[in-house]
Amino acid sequence: MDSSRIYDLLILGGGNAGLCAALAARKAGLGVLVVESAPIHFRGGNSRHTRNMRTMHAGPLDVLTGAYTEEEYWQDLLKVTGGLTDEALARLTIRGTEGHLPWMKQHGVRFQAPLGGTLHLSRTNAFFLGGGKALVNAYYAAAAAMGVETCYDTEAIDLEIEGDRFIAATVRREGARQRLRAKALVAASGGFESNLAWLREAWGPPADNFIVRGTPYNMGVVLKLLLAKGAKQVSDAMQGHCVAIDARAPKFDGGIVTRVDAVSLGIVVNKHAQRFSDEGEDFWPKRYAIWGRLVAGQPDQLGFSIIDHKSMGKFMPPVYAPVKAASLGELASALGLDGAALEATVAQFNAAVRPGTFDHTILDDCRTEGLAPPKTHWARAIDSPPYYAYPLRPGITFTYLGVATDAKARMLMADGRPSANIFAAGEIMAGNVLGKGYLAGIGMAIGTTFGRIAGEEAARHVRG
Amino acid sequence: MSAGEASPRLGELIEEAQRVLAICNACRYCEGYCAVFPALERRLSFTEHDVHYLASLCHNCGSCLYACQYAPPHEFQLNFPRVLAQVRKQTYKRYAWPAFLARAFERNGLAVALLTVACLALFFMAMALAGDPARLFRAYPDSEGSFYAVLPHGAMAGAFAVVFAYVILAFAMSFASFWPDTGELASEFVSPGSSGSATWDALTLKYLDGGGAGCTYPDEKPSFARRNFHHLTFHGFMLCFAATCVATLYHYGFGWKAPYGFWSLPVLLGTVGGVGLLAGPAGLLWLKRRRDPLLVDPSQDGMDLAFLALLFLVSLSGLLLLALRETRAMGIILAVHLGAVLALFLSLPHGKFVHALYRFAALTRFHIERRRPLPEIGSE
């Protein structure tokens, strides 16, 4: 890190998108500096918690089975976003993924067959061997070998932008400030999900009960600076990927193991022991992303997933042991719920369950009748002790509020024209493609596509 | 091992392993690295026996530690390879036979090993001197049957036969208590399908490869160095062992007495094996000195070092014996070589070598389980 030098390219954020930009720009001959706010062990932002990339392919490709066409991918995206997506950028992302696989392997990323319990993703998502941290490690090693300079524990705190042109960034490292000049900037510093004050600003007091599933380092500083200095905004501060996770998870960085996949097998009640949504609306992988919001809407942002003995062991093993009791009354008291209320809720649910043939692998015919809200599939009476419960809280994974970009990853200014030398990639601009909802593995697809484009376009800009 | 002394610590260790395994089972990102992860995913919870089994299945390649999003300094403090390494030492002690020697795993360091070699070498020298003081320091041409001129063949063969029988018995007894605890039948172990696959995995060190790119050992950069040095060590050892077997056959079967010519089969096997057994342990020691301290259980360094040093000494003294067998130094070198070999064999049941026994048993069990349908333990 040298403040007397004018770097070709400064990259703020050393996660998947920033590293893809670094590798691509370095390959094109630029002198690249990556500034990462986390210490080395926690480098990589939320990429370190990822596990796969949703990938388009015409036929069996590497670890991917069958085919996953651009059109099917696009339809999947359209469905979850409800149209809140930029079709051109979305299709650019989708088409990019097929070529990413060999490029990623060339830079040391390794792939593996879908993990146990994730067969439903074997056609659409390419899993990283060792997960996202292994991917991040591989990219850092490749970047170092190519001569990319990296600074850890270094936080960007200010940006000098004149009109639509980046001049310099002020960074802080070990308390000392430095001004770093560069001919181009790639903003790849993620969203603001680690910034509890900002979350509270957006969500109000309920945000205090949110758990941040990923990195504690995504404070949204660069995002806020860019928006304040004339970038065009996409999406809004309340949009993001928010799932229901175990309430006992650590406040930050609990990652994938804090998930609770028991919801569709039983019922979910709030702190008043009342049900509040259809637990069996659709397959869990298609619904887990809405439950964060559902729990966020409940008093104290608390939910309790309750199952009985029949369902134990029929879902991915969660990391925290369930609360277990021989009767519903005991379960309620262990959870701090009103015993009579829980018994009444379960009795009412059990009475509404219609006979059917239970099959968790299809949308089966086990449903309730005359119950509000209904449970439309996999409804079985909760009557075989012991009973088990997992407490739930909203787990914010990442936020969609971002800066608008064009197809060259150039950041757009408020008037819609592209910046002269500012590029954006990854979560900080994911809202262009993902205005709401979530599709497993799309974050890495967006980060890799726009990271590579940002690096290449920055090189084109700098080298003229 | 006195159970009362070790139990609380062992209990804590097993609990820590169970905590770690539960995190891994909920994450599964490392599934493709080795056999341990697919094996743990067959379970919802982990008994103490499961922990011993999974620990012995782990080759400590280290890849999962560097890939782990929960590794220290993360608050989960998940160090999968190290906790399994710590469990392995407890496995060795728990199933040791005779049990009163289980403490040897704690104390079996370099000093003990070298002292044993020295004692045994002195014993052989004394035996030679007792017969005729002059003959230990004489030079013999090969035609005079040098070795047996110093030490009678019967004494050598007798000592080795007794020690060898003890080693076999100790391993058989350890295995006989380990295997039933896995819950598998003895007949499953001997079924050729599973043990055959395990043999292949063991001979090729299939899982000492970090899922294909090499172990992250001694540091984060994947490399095949450790596997290659282990191959040199193991196959070097086997060639030396084969040399001994061929020589035994020559002696008893054909009445051909040692020393054998330089181009004879026993000497060729022993020389090639000996070179491997010099380079292998030396390389493993060199890697070990540079490895990431996060990866291992330092309390086992003494045991590891002692084993590698004995292997190296056996090979070095054997090769020296070959080179100098017609000189006056032969008598002393012979005594040291015999002392080293005997010390090595005596230490086998209570030293690092036992990892081979439990690793092979664990690999066999892995293949037995793999042939069964996946238990219905749900999906996302």
Side-chain angles (χ1 to χ4, degrees):
Chain A
M1 198 163 74
D2 180 357
S3 45
S4 67
R5 184 173 154 192
I6 300 178
Y7 286 93
D8 288 338
L9 178 61
L10 173 65
I11 298 176
L12 297 177
N16 173 55
L19 293 168
C20 286
L23 293 168
R26 182 74 196 125
K27 177 92 186 291
L30 297 198
V32 180
L33 173 66
V34 176
V35 169
E36 163 69 4
S37 66
I40 189 164
H41 284 290
F42 293 105
R43 67 188 181 185
N46 277 332
S47 304
R48 62 193 289 278
H49 285 296
T50 64
R51 57 179 190 174
N52 60 38
M53 181 177 76
R54 187 167 285 258
T55 306
M56 162 191 143
H57 53 109
L61 174 69
D62 206 278
V63 295
L64 294 161
T65 57
Y68 189 45
T69 63
E70 177 184 336
E71 199 49 34
E72 188 185 355
Y73 198 150
W74 163 245
Q75 289 301 329
D76 285 345
L77 182 64
L78 202 55
K79 213 178 304 165
V80 298
T81 57
L84 278 178
T85 177
D86 178 319
E87 181 166 354
L89 298 185
R91 285 189 183 270
L92 183 67
T93 300
I94 293 169
R95 281 196 292 267
T97 53
E98 192 163 22
H100 292 337
L101 244 63
W103 186 86
M104 292 164 79
K105 289 171 85 164
Q106 196 188 317
H107 292 97
V109 176
R110 293 191 283 153
F111 291 90
Q112 64 182 342
L115 309 179
T118 67
L119 258 187
H120 59 282
L121 292 170
S122 65
R123 189 172 63 87
T124 53
N125 290 50
F127 282 79
F128 317 133
L129 178 61
K133 189 175 170 191
L135 170 140
V136 165
N137 290 346
Y139 281 160
Y140 272 106
M146 288 167 70
V148 170
E149 196 184 329
T150 305
C151 292
Y152 298 107
D153 259 326
T154 307
E155 191 192 6
I157 53 173
D158 200 11
L159 297 174
E160 286 168 47
I161 295 171
E162 282 176 8
D164 64 358
R165 180 172 294 273
F166 166 79
I167 307 294
T170 306
V171 301
R172 188 167 48 203
R173 183 192 203 181
E174 289 169 354
R177 286 158 187 251
Q178 285 199 54
R179 181 168 176 264
L180 296 173
R181 290 171 294 165
K183 294 173 191 161
L185 174 77
V186 171
S189 46
F192 69 90
E193 60 276 355
S194 325
N195 189 328
L196 303 179
W198 196 344
L199 286 176
R200 196 170 207 273
E201 209 175 284
W203 285 81
D208 295 347
N209 288 323
F210 287 8
I211 294 170
V212 181
R213 268 179 107 202
T215 176
Y217 295 95
N218 279 7
M219 299 299 288
V221 178
V222 174
L223 172 62
K224 189 164 256 179
L225 286 168
L226 288 173
L227 291 175
K229 294 185 186 229
K232 182 180 175 185
Q233 177 181 322
V234 291
S235 195
D236 69 73
M238 283 187 73
Q239 289 303 334
H241 179 32
C242 183
V243 303
I245 61 170
D246 198 301
R248 298 163 290 183
K251 184 74 178 175
F252 291 100
D253 229 8
I256 188 143
V257 302
T258 60
R259 66 181 173 191
V260 175
D261 288 350
V263 168
S264 62
L265 289 158
I267 60 170
V268 177
V269 300
N270 61 19
K271 67 176 265 198
H272 301 306
Q274 303 302 312
R275 288 177 62 246
F276 51 88
S277 193
D278 179 357
E279 301 89 349
E281 189 183 4
D282 205 340
F283 293 112
W284 182 239
K286 293 189 177 175
R287 277 293 165 269
Y288 75 105
I290 68 164
W291 275 85
R293 252 158 222 284
L294 289 172
V295 173
Q298 295 305 306
D300 291 348
Q301 293 67 53
L302 259 178
F304 301 91
S305 168
I306 294 173
I307 56 172
D308 70 3
H309 180 67
K310 290 193 291 290
S311 301
M312 202 56 207
K314 305 293 186 224
F315 49 95
M316 285 290 244
V319 73
Y320 295 103
V323 177
K324 179 179 173 183
S327 72
L328 287 167
E330 282 172 43
L331 191 70
S333 73
L335 298 172
L337 303 180
D338 182 299
L342 181 63
E343 280 168 3
T345 296
V346 172
Q348 203 185 0
F349 172 80
N350 288 352
V353 169
R354 294 288 72 114
T357 311
F358 177 81
D359 185 346
H360 202 213
T361 63
I362 57 166
L363 294 169
D364 72 2
D365 61 350
C366 293
R367 58 187 180 80
T368 60
E369 213 171 270
L371 188 68
K375 184 174 180 189
T376 45
H377 303 97
W378 312 300
R380 288 192 295 181
I382 296 174
D383 56 7
S384 325
Y387 301 97
Y388 301 91
Y390 296 92
L392 304 175
R393 288 263 192 222
I396 188 123
T397 310
F398 48 86
T399 52
Y400 296 167
L401 174 72
V403 296
T405 57
D406 66 8
K408 292 182 171 179
R410 291 182 298 189
M411 189 182 82
L412 300 183
M413 305 307 291
D415 61 6
R417 282 179 311 146
S419 154
N421 63 348
I422 305 175
F423 302 84
E427 189 186 339
I428 198 169
M429 51 69 65
N432 289 279
V433 176
L434 206 55
K436 72 165 193 175
Y438 184 67
L439 197 58
I442 187 113
M444 293 302 272
I446 296 170
T448 309
T449 296
F450 282 93
R452 289 182 65 186
I453 292 175
E456 285 158 11
E457 290 299 326
R460 200 159 292 146
H461 167 76
V462 169
R463 301 183 81 78
Chain B
M1 178 179 70
S2 83
E5 177 197 54
S7 286
R9 244 179 41 214
L10 178 61
E12 274 171 35
L13 181 59
I14 298 293
E15 271 173 35
E16 169 61 6
Q18 287 165 333
R19 179 188 79 91
V20 161
L21 286 165
I23 297 174
C24 292
N25 203 11
C27 171
R28 307 188 168 190
Y29 286 12
C30 293
E31 193 179 290
Y33 280 129
C34 67
V36 180
F37 297 96
L40 75 86
E41 286 174 23
R42 289 179 163 266
R43 294 159 166 79
L44 277 177
S45 58
F46 304 92
T47 65
E48 187 181 335
H49 299 309
D50 291 332
V51 171
H52 285 293
Y53 157 56
L54 294 167
S56 275
L57 199 51
C58 168
H59 292 50
N60 197 7
C61 83
S63 301
C64 61
L65 178 71
Y66 296 106
C68 181
Q69 56 190 317
Y70 304 115
H74 188 279
E75 66 176 282
F76 286 177
Q77 293 287 321
L78 196 154
N79 189 331
F80 196 66
R82 180 152 71 189
V83 72
L84 294 190
Q86 289 166 335
V87 169
R88 281 194 293 279
K89 186 167 96 176
Q90 300 304 328
T91 309
Y92 304 159
K93 289 167 74 171
R94 181 182 168 142
Y95 295 104
W97 188 93
F100 71 88
L101 279 177
R103 278 160 188 266
F105 285 109
E106 299 282 0
R107 307 199 179 146
N108 192 352
L110 185 62
V112 171
L114 295 182
L115 205 64
T116 313
V117 174
C119 289
L120 291 166
L122 284 172
F123 170 75
F124 282 117
M125 287 178 215
M127 200 197 281
L129 289 169
D132 172 5
R135 71 183 188 193
L136 182 61
F137 301 105
R138 252 190 66 195
Y140 303 85
D142 279 356
S143 54
E144 290 183 29
S146 52
F147 305 147
Y148 306 136
V150 175
L151 279 168
H153 178 267
M156 273 193 235
F160 280 93
V162 169
V163 170
F164 199 68
Y166 159 72
V167 168
I168 297 290
L169 178 67
F171 281 134
M173 295 302 284
S174 291
F175 178 80
S177 57
F178 178 80
W179 188 257
D181 277 355
T182 66
E184 305 289 349
L185 300 170
S187 58
E188 298 271 19
F189 180 76
V190 293
S191 82
S194 301
S195 54
S197 303
T199 304
W200 178 251
D201 292 349
L203 290 179
T204 59
L205 297 174
K206 175 171 173 172
Y207 294 110
L208 209 54
D209 77 339
C215 302
T216 45
Y217 189 102
D219 56 30
E220 192 175 342
K221 193 166 181 273
S223 133
F224 285 104
R226 187 160 175 231
R227 174 146 93 178
N228 292 337
F229 283 127
H230 192 292
H231 274 320
L232 284 173
T233 306
F234 176 76
H235 295 288
F237 180 84
M238 292 314 283
L239 285 176
C240 291
F241 190 69
T244 310
C245 293
V246 173
T248 306
L249 186 72
Y250 278 14
H251 186 92
Y252 291 107
F254 301 100
W256 301 338
K257 301 280 191 288
Y260 302 108
F262 286 97
W263 300 106
S264 67
L265 192 54
V267 174
L268 277 179
L269 288 171
T271 307
V272 174
V275 170
L277 205 47
L278 273 186
L284 288 172
L285 262 177
W286 174 65
L287 290 177
K288 197 173 174 57
R289 285 169 57 92
R290 300 188 311 142
R291 61 147 198 224
D292 186 338
L294 256 185
L295 262 180
V296 288
D297 172 16
S299 81
Q300 294 176 48
D301 283 354
M303 173 170 86
D304 295 356
L305 181 64
F307 182 50
L308 291 172
L310 279 177
L311 288 170
F312 187 84
L313 195 60
V314 163
S315 180
L316 182 69
S317 56
L319 290 172
L320 277 176
L321 192 59
L322 174 68
L324 303 175
R325 71 187 188 190
E326 289 186 277
T327 73
R328 291 157 61 90
M330 183 277 286
I332 298 293
I333 298 173
L334 177 66
V336 171
H337 181 62
L338 293 176
V341 175
L342 212 52
L344 173 69
F345 274 83
L346 274 172
S347 79
L348 291 184
H350 295 99
K352 175 69 178 183
F353 184 81
V354 297
H355 78 280
L357 175 74
Y358 301 110
R359 179 83 22 94
F360 183 75
L363 282 167
T364 305
R365 186 179 188 204
F366 171 69
H367 287 291
I368 292 169
E369 284 193 341
R370 208 161 70 150
R371 285 173 167 77
R372 297 181 184 140
L374 262 176
E376 198 198 330
I377 50 171
S379 61
E380 295 180 350

